[in-house]
Amino acid sequence: MRADLDRSISILQGEHSAPVVGEGYPQDSADAGSSLSEADRNEAILHSARSQRDGVLAALTRIAENTYGRCVDCGGDIPEGRLDARPDAARCVGCQGKHARRR
Ligand SMILES: [Zn+2]
């Protein structure tokens, strides 16, 4: 999972830094607008891939520390069904709900 995310991130970063418009290419405001929104979209995908990777790395750290499967907020057990659906889940359903509302 982490390797997949690393690969996605490096691909996205490669695309992101590549020049979009060649020199001398006619550039009207519509083109500028569309390339801007594409960069924004790319940035959003990159951001979510990075935060997903952070979640996976945090899960790996918890495995190393033997706290994997325990909620980082209340210390309670995270149900196995939840870990199957979200292997990088750091919180039980209740705490995740509270956490999501805080943001
Ligand atoms: Zn909890």
Side-chain angles (χ1 to χ4, degrees):
M1 198 165 170
R2 181 176 57 168
D4 281 352
L5 287 166
D6 277 344
R7 200 158 44 236
S8 314
I9 286 166
S10 62
I11 289 167
L12 286 164
Q13 278 171 337
E15 280 176 6
H16 193 60
S17 57
V20 181
V21 184
E23 223 183 310
Y25 198 82
Q27 204 181 0
D28 60 30
S29 56
D31 271 355
S34 69
S35 70
L36 181 70
S37 68
E38 195 177 326
D40 282 349
R41 199 161 51 235
N42 211 336
E43 192 59 45
I45 295 167
L46 192 55
H47 181 78
S48 87
R50 276 184 181 139
S51 59
Q52 263 187 62
R53 186 182 58 169
D54 285 349
V56 173
L57 290 177
L60 290 170
T61 305
R62 289 195 301 280
I63 291 169
E65 291 173 347
N66 253 334
T67 59
Y68 181 73
R70 224 179 295 162
C71 173
V72 296
D73 281 355
C74 70
D77 288 335
I78 301 172
E80 235 172 83
R82 175 163 170 73
L83 288 172
D84 283 344
R86 286 287 313 273
D88 60 337
R91 291 175 182 82
C92 67
V93 179
C95 293
Q96 184 60 52
K98 281 181 228 160
H99 180 74
R101 274 197 297 277
R102 269 207 304 272
R103 282 195 294 186

